[in-house]
Amino acid sequence: KLKKIRIDNHQCLNAYLCVKHPELEMDWNVMETLRMLRNAISYEGKKVDEPMWRTHKLQFDIYTKLLMKEVEKKIKEERQLL
């Protein structure tokens, strides 16, 4: 079942995913690194150089696909209950 939770920030969301969904095997340190990188870009206007982007892009893509797959699975399960 899809859970409707409210969070105050991305750090809380990452903690929720790591603690409440260990089956996803999302690493807290990776999540925190990606969050801080995103914040530096969005809030401080910092640029990401090519080596740094290459370092984090694979993990970003893996986690994005993992979350999308999990959400699609939960939506399918919900539809089957209707």
Side-chain angles (χ1 to χ4, degrees), residues 8-43:
D8 291 330
N9 57 57
H10 291 112
Q11 193 172 30
C12 289
L13 174 61
N14 292 345
Y16 176 85
L17 289 172
C18 290
V19 172
K20 296 291 186 176
H21 294 282
E23 73 278 6
L24 296 177
E25 298 181 3
M26 299 182 89
D27 182 86
W28 169 256
N29 292 321
V30 171
M31 298 287 286
E32 193 65 0
T33 298
L34 294 174
R35 181 188 70 79
M36 290 188 301
L37 182 61
R38 180 245 180 222
N39 285 354
I41 294 166
S42 295
Y43 301 127

Side-chain angles (χ1 to χ4, degrees), residues 63-78:
Y63 279 12
T64 300
K65 288 176 184 174
L66 173 68
L67 288 172
M68 290 297 294
K69 182 179 175 182
E70 192 64 24
V71 168
E72 288 169 358
K73 179 178 135 189
K74 296 291 183 185
I75 289 172
K76 186 177 180 180
E77 290 171 2
E78 286 282 317

Side-chain angles (χ1 to χ4, degrees), residues 1-6 16:
K1 182 171 174 152
L2 290 172
K3 296 178 182 167
K4 296 177 183 175
I5 62 165
R6 285 202 167 287
Y16 176 85

